PDB file of all heavy atoms in Angstrom:
ATOM      1  N   THR A  53      38.638   2.019   0.579  1.00  0.00           N
ATOM      2  CA  THR A  53      38.278   2.473   1.936  1.00  0.00           C
ATOM      3  C   THR A  53      39.515   2.604   2.824  1.00  0.00           C
ATOM      4  O   THR A  53      40.537   1.963   2.589  1.00  0.00           O
ATOM      5  CB  THR A  53      37.286   1.483   2.578  1.00  0.00           C
ATOM      6  OG1 THR A  53      36.977   1.918   3.903  1.00  0.00           O
ATOM      7  CG2 THR A  53      37.868   0.091   2.643  1.00  0.00           C
ATOM      8  N   ALA A  55      39.144   1.646   5.811  1.00  0.00           N
ATOM      9  CA  ALA A  55      38.834   0.473   6.645  1.00  0.00           C
ATOM     10  C   ALA A  55      38.611   0.804   8.113  1.00  0.00           C
ATOM     11  O   ALA A  55      38.689  -0.097   8.959  1.00  0.00           O
ATOM     12  CB  ALA A  55      39.950  -0.568   6.498  1.00  0.00           C
ATOM     13  N   ILE A  75      39.435  -2.315  -1.955  1.00  0.00           N
ATOM     14  CA  ILE A  75      40.797  -1.822  -1.809  1.00  0.00           C
ATOM     15  C   ILE A  75      40.915  -1.186  -0.437  1.00  0.00           C
ATOM     16  O   ILE A  75      40.130  -0.290  -0.093  1.00  0.00           O
ATOM     17  CB  ILE A  75      41.116  -0.803  -2.905  1.00  0.00           C
ATOM     18  CG1 ILE A  75      40.981  -1.440  -4.294  1.00  0.00           C
ATOM     19  CG2 ILE A  75      42.531  -0.227  -2.705  1.00  0.00           C
ATOM     20  CD1 ILE A  75      41.070  -0.433  -5.438  1.00  0.00           C
ATOM     21  N   VAL A  76      41.849  -1.650   0.351  1.00  0.00           N
ATOM     22  CA  VAL A  76      42.084  -1.104   1.693  1.00  0.00           C
ATOM     23  C   VAL A  76      43.399  -0.323   1.686  1.00  0.00           C
ATOM     24  O   VAL A  76      44.457  -0.886   1.395  1.00  0.00           O
ATOM     25  CB  VAL A  76      42.133  -2.231   2.740  1.00  0.00           C
ATOM     26  CG1 VAL A  76      42.498  -1.654   4.108  1.00  0.00           C
ATOM     27  CG2 VAL A  76      40.794  -2.958   2.805  1.00  0.00           C
ATOM     28  N   SER A  77      43.305   0.953   1.997  1.00  0.00           N
ATOM     29  CA  SER A  77      44.498   1.805   2.026  1.00  0.00           C
ATOM     30  C   SER A  77      45.163   1.691   3.404  1.00  0.00           C
ATOM     31  O   SER A  77      44.536   2.007   4.429  1.00  0.00           O
ATOM     32  CB  SER A  77      44.124   3.271   1.758  1.00  0.00           C
ATOM     33  OG  SER A  77      43.572   3.389   0.460  1.00  0.00           O
ATOM     34  N   MET A  78      46.413   1.273   3.434  1.00  0.00           N
ATOM     35  CA  MET A  78      47.155   1.130   4.676  1.00  0.00           C
ATOM     36  C   MET A  78      48.612   1.471   4.391  1.00  0.00           C
ATOM     37  O   MET A  78      49.352   0.658   3.861  1.00  0.00           O
ATOM     38  CB  MET A  78      47.024  -0.297   5.225  1.00  0.00           C
ATOM     39  CG  MET A  78      47.475  -0.423   6.689  1.00  0.00           C
ATOM     40  SD  MET A  78      47.449  -2.142   7.258  1.00  0.00           S
ATOM     41  CE  MET A  78      49.045  -2.706   6.639  1.00  0.00           C
ATOM     42  N   ILE A 120      42.299  -6.108  -1.856  1.00  0.00           N
ATOM     43  CA  ILE A 120      43.583  -5.570  -2.272  1.00  0.00           C
ATOM     44  C   ILE A 120      44.093  -4.623  -1.182  1.00  0.00           C
ATOM     45  O   ILE A 120      43.391  -3.691  -0.781  1.00  0.00           O
ATOM     46  CB  ILE A 120      43.442  -4.791  -3.593  1.00  0.00           C
ATOM     47  CG1 ILE A 120      43.027  -5.743  -4.719  1.00  0.00           C
ATOM     48  CG2 ILE A 120      44.759  -4.098  -3.951  1.00  0.00           C
ATOM     49  CD1 ILE A 120      42.753  -5.032  -6.033  1.00  0.00           C
ATOM     50  N   LEU A 121      45.273  -4.901  -0.683  1.00  0.00           N
ATOM     51  CA  LEU A 121      45.910  -4.023   0.289  1.00  0.00           C
ATOM     52  C   LEU A 121      46.770  -3.038  -0.499  1.00  0.00           C
ATOM     53  O   LEU A 121      47.679  -3.435  -1.216  1.00  0.00           O
ATOM     54  CB  LEU A 121      46.764  -4.833   1.266  1.00  0.00           C
ATOM     55  CG  LEU A 121      47.381  -4.050   2.413  1.00  0.00           C
ATOM     56  CD1 LEU A 121      46.278  -3.497   3.329  1.00  0.00           C
ATOM     57  CD2 LEU A 121      48.340  -4.917   3.217  1.00  0.00           C
ATOM     58  N   GLN A 122      46.461  -1.770  -0.355  1.00  0.00           N
ATOM     59  CA  GLN A 122      47.154  -0.736  -1.128  1.00  0.00           C
ATOM     60  C   GLN A 122      48.065   0.081  -0.226  1.00  0.00           C
ATOM     61  O   GLN A 122      47.642   0.590   0.825  1.00  0.00           O
ATOM     62  CB  GLN A 122      46.136   0.181  -1.821  1.00  0.00           C
ATOM     63  CG  GLN A 122      46.754   1.237  -2.707  1.00  0.00           C
ATOM     64  CD  GLN A 122      45.696   1.991  -3.472  1.00  0.00           C
ATOM     65  OE1 GLN A 122      45.183   1.541  -4.483  1.00  0.00           O
ATOM     66  NE2 GLN A 122      45.325   3.160  -2.999  1.00  0.00           N
TER      67      GLN A 122
END
Side-chain angles (χ1 to χ4, degrees):
T53 178
I75 300 170
V76 175
S77 297
M78 194 185 83
I120 297 175
L121 186 65
Q122 183 173 280

